[in-house]
């Protein structure tokens, strides 16, 4: 609470929080408390992946943050293995514990240290042997969270409990301390009284609190017209001497913890009725669990990201494959055909850019990735690769319109193949910087991204060619062969990444959720049956129309796989 007060953090997000772990069986039980926050790592992945240097390591070791630079890409949230970052709903930027650097700069300690009555939180210079924190760490047995990540965390727990430091070792129950509503708490007599929602609403209506109205406007004028005042009574909210007139006819009934609509209400004053009913509406709104850090960051990379990897694969494949076909003599070099390929590739690349911008919490700052770059981030490298590819595609389309033969020379085609491959695989290195997501750390990711672009590009070329688009008819045969090879390679890579043993429990759990959990239908039906088996069967027949069907199915299945692959690891709690 001192942290929230110091930084004026809104409800629902926390720079630091206390984790409760209950162990044992009654009556032999105990509860352990651990403070969770940013670890201020010596090798911090969040500062590496941040594209605009909104996060940086100070000379004193504090990992600080500047919301004025943040574009809200959420890459830092994926990079942090400790779930220490969140999106601030007020600033719409990332935020985290900054060790109260503004206090440290003036010789004070962080707010959490100052307020702790038991000196349970120690802060200071780890490199100075005379500080209390250095002496404590040297003489006590201490643990750090996820040291295997190589981040060199600087937050240590004296006699730390594994249930606190390792999230996967502790189950999250449906009911826990303070999770039950007030009317579910037993009294001394053993009864479970209903929560008096009507009395609570009338008390709220009689207060000086501004409730607003259902349309978002303030209700002060309506209340002034109603003339309602607080008479000082502790048990009801009444006007001046009209308590009897305020009895509701039916009121709100409790039904399993959820209030139902009142059957009727007698009011002498229309303004007072409006305010009381507004109070009912506010109290009736479903409560949300705001302090459970385990679920707060699910899906921080959502549909925009797995859609953009799909469109980017199509764009990369449609540039790379025609260039390779012409380079190796599978298709005669043709200015119009290569220009058409570049045009369609550019359309999907433009869609990729739009999706990338839509995913930002601060979309008006998207250009800062290019103008304020952090060259350690693969988001920056990827942005420049996409920009270079887009510029090249524009030149090819212009050259095709002007009939310039130079666009199909070996040099130009080689540049196209390289740019297409780079566009396809750079995302693999971005995922590898997301150290919080273990399933994405596979060394085969670049090869898998390349294979996916082969599938996406060849499938689109087959569909367009069979549909009669003149420039692509000659590419149907080579594209069908590339599609079949890509699907086989994709199947092998999926099997190696999903079904082989994983190095960490988080990666194992993410793979299990894909194959046996929440994502099993999308994976098996969409990703495997629709995306691999049916297209291979259709291609084996050798009929052009079935080749087009195979291409369409492969694109649908690839989208389903991208959804599973990107979403499932994000459902693993890191804290």
């Amino acid at each position: 609470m001192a942290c929230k007060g110091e930084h004026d953090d809104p409800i629902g997000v926390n720079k630091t929080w206390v984790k409760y772990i209950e162990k044992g069986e009654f009556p032999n039980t105990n509860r352990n408390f651990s403070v969770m926050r940013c670890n201020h790592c010596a090798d911090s992945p969040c500062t590496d992946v941040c594209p605009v240097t909104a996060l940086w390591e100070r000379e004193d070791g504090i990992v600080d943050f500047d919301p004025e630079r943040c574009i809200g890409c959420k890459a830092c949230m994926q990079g942090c293995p400790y779930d220490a970052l969140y999106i601030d709903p007020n600033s719409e930027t990332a935020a985290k514990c900054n060790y109260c650097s503004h206090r440290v700069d003036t010789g004070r300690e962080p707010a959490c240290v100052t307020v702790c009555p038991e000196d349970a939180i120690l802060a200071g210079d780890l490199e100075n042997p005379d500080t209390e924190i250095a002496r404590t760490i040297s003489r006590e047995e201490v643990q750090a969270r996820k040291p295997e990540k190589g981040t060199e965390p600087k937050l240590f727990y004296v006699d730390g409990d594994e249930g606190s430091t390792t999230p996967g070792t502790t189950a999250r129950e449906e009911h826990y301390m303070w999770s039950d509503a007030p009317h579910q708490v037993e009294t001394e007599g053993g009864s479970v009284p209903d929560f008096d929602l009507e009395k609570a609403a009338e008390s709220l209506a009689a207060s000086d609190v501004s409730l607003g109205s259902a349309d978002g406007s303030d209700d002060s004028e309506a209340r002034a017209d109603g003339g309602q005042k607080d008479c000082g009574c502790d048990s009801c909210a009444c006007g001046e001497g009209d308590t009897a007139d305020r009895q509701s006819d039916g009121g709100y009934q409790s039904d399993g913890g959820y209030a139902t609509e009142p059957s009727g209400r007698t009011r002498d004053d229309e303004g007072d009725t409006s305010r009381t009913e507004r109070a009912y509406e506010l109290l009736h709104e479903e409560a949300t669990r705001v302090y459970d850090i385990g679920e707060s960051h699910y899906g921080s990379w959502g549909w925009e990201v797995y859609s953009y990897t799909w469109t980017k694969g199509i764009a990369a494949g449609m540039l790379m494959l025609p260039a390779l076909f012409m380079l190796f003599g599978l298709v005669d070099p043709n200015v119009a055909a290569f220009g058409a390929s570049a045009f369609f590739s550019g359309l999907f690349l433009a869609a990729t850019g739009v999706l990338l911008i839509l995913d930002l919490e601060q979309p008006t700052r998207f250009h800062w990735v290019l103008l304020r770059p952090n060259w350690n981030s693969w988001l920056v490298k990827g942005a420049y690769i996409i920009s270079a590819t887009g510029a090249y595609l524009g030149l090819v389309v212009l050259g095709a319109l002007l009939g310039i033969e130079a666009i199909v020379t070996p040099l130009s085609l080689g540049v196209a193949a390289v740019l297409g491959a780079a566009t396809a695989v750079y995302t693999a290195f971005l995922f590898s910087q997301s150290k919080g997501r273990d399933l994405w750390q596979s060394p085969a990711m670049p090869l898998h991204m390349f294979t996916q672009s082969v599938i996406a590009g060849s499938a689109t070329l087959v569909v367009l060619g069979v549909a009669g688009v003149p420039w692509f008819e000659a590419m149907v045969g080579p594209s069908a062969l590339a599609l079949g090879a890509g699907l086989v390679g994709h199947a092998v890579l999926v099997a190696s990444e999903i079904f082989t043993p994983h190095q960490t429990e988080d990666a194992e759990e993410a793979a299990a959720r894909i194959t046996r959990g929440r994502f099993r239908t999308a994976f098996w039906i969409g990703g495997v049956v629709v995306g691999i088996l049916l297209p291979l069967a259709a291609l084996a027949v050798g009929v052009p129309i079935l080749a087009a069907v195979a291409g369409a199915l492969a694109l649908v299945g690839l989208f389903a796989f991208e959804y599973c692959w990107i979403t499932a690891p994000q459902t693993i709690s890191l804290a």
Side-chain angles (χ1 to χ4, degrees), residues 368-407:
W368 290 2
V369 176
L370 299 174
L371 302 180
R372 301 180 176 182
N374 169 24
W375 288 105
N376 290 326
S377 172
W378 271 96
L379 266 174
V380 170
K381 296 172 185 177
Y384 273 93
I385 289 172
I386 287 180
S387 298
T389 302
Y392 175 81
L393 290 171
L395 291 175
V396 169
V397 171
L398 180 61
L401 292 174
L402 298 176
I404 300 175
E405 294 289 336
I407 64 173

Side-chain angles (χ1 to χ4, degrees), residues 76-92:
C76 56
M77 295 169 63
Q78 306 292 359
C80 177
Y82 311 106
D83 214 359
L85 291 111
Y86 61 87
I87 294 296
D88 188 299
N90 290 342
S91 64
E92 295 185 329

Side-chain angles (χ1 to χ4, degrees), residues 490-572:
H490 178 56
V492 172
L493 287 168
V494 169
S496 68
E497 293 179 344
I498 296 290
F499 299 107
T500 57
H502 297 86
Q503 294 183 343
T504 68
E505 292 181 1
D506 283 359
E508 193 74 38
E509 175 62 22
R513 294 185 184 187
I514 291 176
T515 57
R516 304 190 299 275
R518 163 185 163 188
F519 302 92
R520 64 185 183 276
T521 301
F523 174 72
W524 288 110
I525 303 299
V528 176
V529 175
V530 174
I532 298 176
L533 299 181
L534 291 180
L536 285 174
L539 288 171
V541 177
V543 178
I545 187 64
L546 289 181
V549 172
L553 291 174
L555 288 172
V556 173
L558 187 60
F559 185 84
F561 176 79
E562 296 285 6
Y563 160 71
C564 298
W565 186 257
I566 290 174
T567 309
Q570 295 183 69
T571 64
I572 304 296

Side-chain angles (χ1 to χ4, degrees), residues 127-447:
E127 297 180 358
N128 183 351
D130 295 327
T131 59
E132 183 180 4
I133 188 173
R135 291 194 300 267
T136 300
I137 290 177
S138 65
R139 68 172 181 259
E140 302 282 355
E141 183 175 349
V142 297
Q143 291 77 36
R145 294 165 62 195
K146 301 182 181 180
E148 71 276 4
K149 290 293 184 180
T151 60
E152 299 182 44
K154 290 178 286 187
L155 177 61
F156 301 93
Y157 297 88
V158 178
D159 295 327
D161 180 78
E162 185 182 6
S164 296
T165 58
T166 308
T169 62
T170 308
R172 290 176 57 250
E173 304 295 342
E174 183 66 23
H175 296 286
Y176 52 92
M177 187 167 63
W178 298 328
S179 70
D180 295 328
H183 64 276
Q184 294 173 311
V185 180
E186 283 197 17
T187 62
E188 292 182 2
S191 62
V192 184
D194 286 338
F195 178 64
D196 194 340
L197 183 61
E198 184 174 0
K199 181 181 290 186
E202 292 186 349
S203 295
L204 181 60
S207 71
D208 291 330
V209 175
S210 175
L211 303 181
S213 61
D215 60 3
S217 61
D218 193 270
D219 69 332
S220 56
E221 183 178 352
R223 185 184 174 202
D225 292 341
Q228 182 171 337
K229 299 179 181 178
D230 185 357
C231 68
C233 173
D234 292 333
S235 59
C236 69
C238 59
E240 296 176 309
D242 62 347
T243 305
D245 292 336
R246 293 183 172 278
Q247 300 303 315
S248 69
D249 183 14
Y252 273 45
Q253 302 298 321
S254 176
D255 181 14
Y258 294 92
T260 56
E261 291 299 320
S263 58
R265 201 179 298 279
T266 301
R267 290 291 182 268
D268 292 334
D269 192 317
E270 184 178 351
D272 176 64
T273 302
S274 174
R275 179 171 171 82
T276 305
E277 289 181 346
R278 178 57 180 155
Y280 270 110
E281 292 175 4
L282 292 174
L283 293 176
H284 187 209
E285 290 177 359
E286 184 177 354
T288 58
R289 183 189 301 179
V290 296
Y291 287 112
D292 186 348
I293 199 71
E295 292 184 345
S296 64
H297 300 165
Y298 285 3
S300 53
W301 278 355
W303 68 270
E304 298 94 342
V305 175
Y306 56 77
S307 298
Y308 114 73
T309 58
W310 185 74
T311 57
K312 182 174 67 67
I314 296 175
M318 288 203 68
L319 172 62
M320 177 176 61
L321 291 177
L324 292 175
F325 293 161
M326 294 179 186
L327 271 175
F328 291 100
L330 299 175
V331 173
D332 292 334
N334 184 292
V335 172
F338 192 57
S341 299
F343 175 76
F344 280 99
S345 175
L347 290 180
F348 283 101
L349 194 67
T352 300
V354 171
L355 289 166
L356 281 169
I357 294 173
L358 285 177
D359 185 57
L360 301 180
E361 299 297 323
Q362 292 285 350
T364 58
R365 302 177 181 178
F366 76 93
H367 56 286
W368 290 2
V369 176
L370 299 174
L371 302 180
R372 301 180 176 182
N374 169 24
W375 288 105
N376 290 326
S377 172
W378 271 96
L379 266 174
V380 170
K381 296 172 185 177
Y384 273 93
I385 289 172
I386 287 180
S387 298
T389 302
Y392 175 81
L393 290 171
L395 291 175
V396 169
V397 171
L398 180 61
L401 292 174
L402 298 176
I404 300 175
E405 294 289 336
I407 64 173
V408 291
T409 60
L411 176 60
S412 176
L413 295 174
V415 171
V418 170
L419 286 175
T423 301
V425 304
Y426 87 82
T427 315
F429 299 102
L430 171 60
F431 285 154
S432 71
Q433 284 189 313
S434 302
K435 291 188 176 181
R437 309 301 174 188
D438 290 2
L439 192 63
W440 296 345
Q441 305 306 307
S442 169
M445 279 288 283
L447 179 58

